[in-house]
Amino acid sequence: MPGDEIEVPKELREFMLEGAEETFLGQKNGAKKQYRYGNLHIREYDEKFLLHTDKIDPRKDPIGHLVHDAPEILVGLACAIFGGSQVTKKILNNNSKKKSFASGLLSSIIIGYLGYSATKKIKNYWE
């Protein structure tokens, strides 16, 4: 089932699937390296491997992967774009462009992170 992670201690077995590719796609969550083998996502830590399957391989369909496996990233981006643009519009009416850019950027980061965090918590609750 997607989302469930399996832990394989390195002391039990040091392994790597033949054909697994090291990748930057996916959240590392503190891992030293991460690999993909089809829909299998493998994170390597000092003492263990964590494995889970994704519904969609991000190398083949990045948008589908975001929609089905990582919607919190899409929500965070949407919140950042919408929230930042709204703050920038309000400040532009009252202040200089330089100040509105800095405020818009800062608000985008904060609002985007809040949207991402809230969606991640909701997603974890439902799984």
Side-chain angles (χ1 to χ4, degrees), residues 8-17 47-49:
V8 179
K10 282 189 173 180
E11 62 196 33
L12 178 67
R13 178 173 175 137
E14 178 80 31
F15 85 102
M16 187 47 59
L17 295 172
E47 320 256 318
K48 64 186 175 186
F49 292 97

Side-chain angles (χ1 to χ4, degrees), residues 61-112:
D61 183 4
I63 302 300
H65 177 72
L66 288 173
V67 169
H68 295 286
D69 293 308
E72 64 274 12
I73 293 173
L74 285 179
V75 171
L77 287 171
C79 290
I81 292 167
F82 180 75
S85 67
Q86 294 302 309
V87 169
T88 301
K89 282 180 191 174
K90 289 190 191 263
I91 293 174
L92 254 179
N93 292 334
N94 300 325
N95 295 316
S96 71
K97 287 184 181 181
K98 195 181 275 189
K99 194 173 188 178
S100 67
F101 176 77
S103 299
L105 182 62
L106 182 61
S107 64
S108 289
I109 292 168
I110 293 169
I111 295 167

Side-chain angles (χ1 to χ4, degrees), residues 44-57:
E44 180 181 359
Y45 297 87
D46 288 331
E47 320 256 318
K48 64 186 175 186
F49 292 97
L50 285 180
L51 299 85
H52 70 266
T53 55
D54 291 323
K55 293 175 186 168
I56 297 180
D57 185 346

